[in-house]
């Protein structure tokens, strides 16, 4: 739904880029990462105003970080990555405006089959990440991936900046905290 208004321009078509990497030895743990790759974010039908679009080309940095994690694993000493498998999905999309843009109050059915009421079209990153995480969850179940840990990487803009200012922030969700946090799951 997020990419509908970008479809008339071929170079703006959405893509899901899938990457995988595996260390030496039998796989003992799996890290599955969804990366937000919004190539440009206008805000959609809830258009960003007052210069708010400036810098939105950087809304793909979550996807870049996810791809960079695979590269870092590939370059790391083998003893640090033995038994590790990394699976990444990059949700690459352009949140454009146009006659077919998704709009507030529209109900979208996600990959997981859940209906989502769009409150503001500038929530495109959450829509994209939800579908990527759902793909990764299905893959983890289908392939019985050992000790799966799920991460989402995103550039937080707009409302996050209102909450935190111009600072980087990493947050565990309530579900991640209840499971002991993410950090302990990533440790060798």
């Amino acid at each position: 739904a997020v990419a509908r208004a970008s479809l008339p321009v071929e170079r703006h078509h959405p893509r899901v880029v899938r990457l995988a990497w595996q260390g030496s030895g039998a796989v003992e743990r799996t890290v599955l990462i969804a990366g937000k790759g919004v190539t440009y974010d206008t805000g959609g039908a809830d258009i960003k105003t007052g210069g708010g679009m400036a810098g939105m080309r950087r809304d793909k940095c979550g996807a870049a970080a996810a791809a960079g994690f695979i590269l870092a694993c590939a370059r790391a000493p083998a003893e640090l990555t033995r038994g590790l498998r990394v699976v990444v999905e990059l949700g690459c999309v352009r949140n454009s405006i146009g006659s077919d843009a998704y709009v507030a109050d529209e109900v979208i059915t996600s990959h997981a089959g859940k209906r989502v009421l769009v409150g503001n079209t500038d929530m495109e990153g959450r829509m994209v990440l939800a579908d990527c995480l759902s793909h990764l969850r299905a893959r983890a179940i289908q392939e019985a991936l050992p000790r799966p840990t799920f991460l989402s990487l995103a550039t937080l803009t707009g409302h996050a900046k209102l909450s935190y200012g111009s600072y980087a922030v990493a947050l565990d969700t309530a579900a991640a905290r209840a499971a002991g946090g993410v950090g302990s799951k990533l440790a060798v």
Side-chain angles (χ1 to χ4, degrees), residues 108-132:
I108 307 291
T109 302
S110 72
H111 176 266
K114 301 292 184 182
R115 290 186 306 271
V116 178
L117 174 62
V118 176
N120 183 305
T121 61
D122 201 17
M123 61 181 261
E124 81 295 329
R126 286 165 274 184
M127 299 282 283
V128 170
L129 285 173
D131 280 351
C132 287

Side-chain angles (χ1 to χ4, degrees), residues 36-44 46 48 51-62 95 120-126 129 153-169 171:
K36 176 183 168 187
V38 178
T39 59
Y40 197 79
D41 181 16
T42 67
D46 288 313
K48 295 178 185 289
M53 277 187 247
M56 286 299 103
R57 69 186 184 283
R58 293 187 298 265
D59 214 9
K60 57 187 165 284
C61 291
N95 188 15
N120 183 305
T121 61
D122 201 17
M123 61 181 261
E124 81 295 329
R126 286 165 274 184
L129 285 173
L153 300 179
T155 316
L156 300 176
T157 58
H159 294 289
K161 187 174 180 181
L162 291 174
S163 298
Y164 296 101
S166 297
Y167 298 97
V169 62
L171 300 172

Side-chain angles (χ1 to χ4, degrees), residues 22-182:
Q22 185 172 319
S24 62
V27 177
E28 299 171 13
R29 66 190 190 284
T30 310
V31 176
L32 300 107
I33 304 173
K36 176 183 168 187
V38 178
T39 59
Y40 197 79
D41 181 16
T42 67
D46 288 313
I47 194 163
K48 295 178 185 289
T49 60
M53 277 187 247
M56 286 299 103
R57 69 186 184 283
R58 293 187 298 265
D59 214 9
K60 57 187 165 284
C61 291
F69 184 76
I70 287 218
L71 180 61
C73 288
R75 291 182 174 173
E79 63 272 11
L80 294 179
T81 58
R82 186 170 285 110
L84 175 66
R85 180 169 187 203
V86 181
V87 179
V88 169
E89 279 207 5
L90 311 176
C92 300
V93 64
R94 182 180 173 112
N95 188 15
S96 295
I97 53 175
S99 60
D100 200 25
Y102 81 119
V103 295
D105 290 337
E106 186 171 346
V107 177
I108 307 291
T109 302
S110 72
H111 176 266
K114 301 292 184 182
R115 290 186 306 271
V116 178
L117 174 62
V118 176
N120 183 305
T121 61
D122 201 17
M123 61 181 261
E124 81 295 329
R126 286 165 274 184
M127 299 282 283
V128 170
L129 285 173
D131 280 351
C132 287
L133 286 166
S134 178
H135 295 163
L136 291 168
R137 179 183 173 274
R139 184 171 179 174
I141 292 168
Q142 181 180 23
E143 297 178 22
L145 298 176
R147 292 178 48 206
T149 298
F150 295 85
L151 302 171
S152 60
L153 300 179
T155 316
L156 300 176
T157 58
H159 294 289
K161 187 174 180 181
L162 291 174
S163 298
Y164 296 101
S166 297
Y167 298 97
V169 62
L171 300 172
D172 272 350
T173 62
R177 282 191 302 277
V182 172

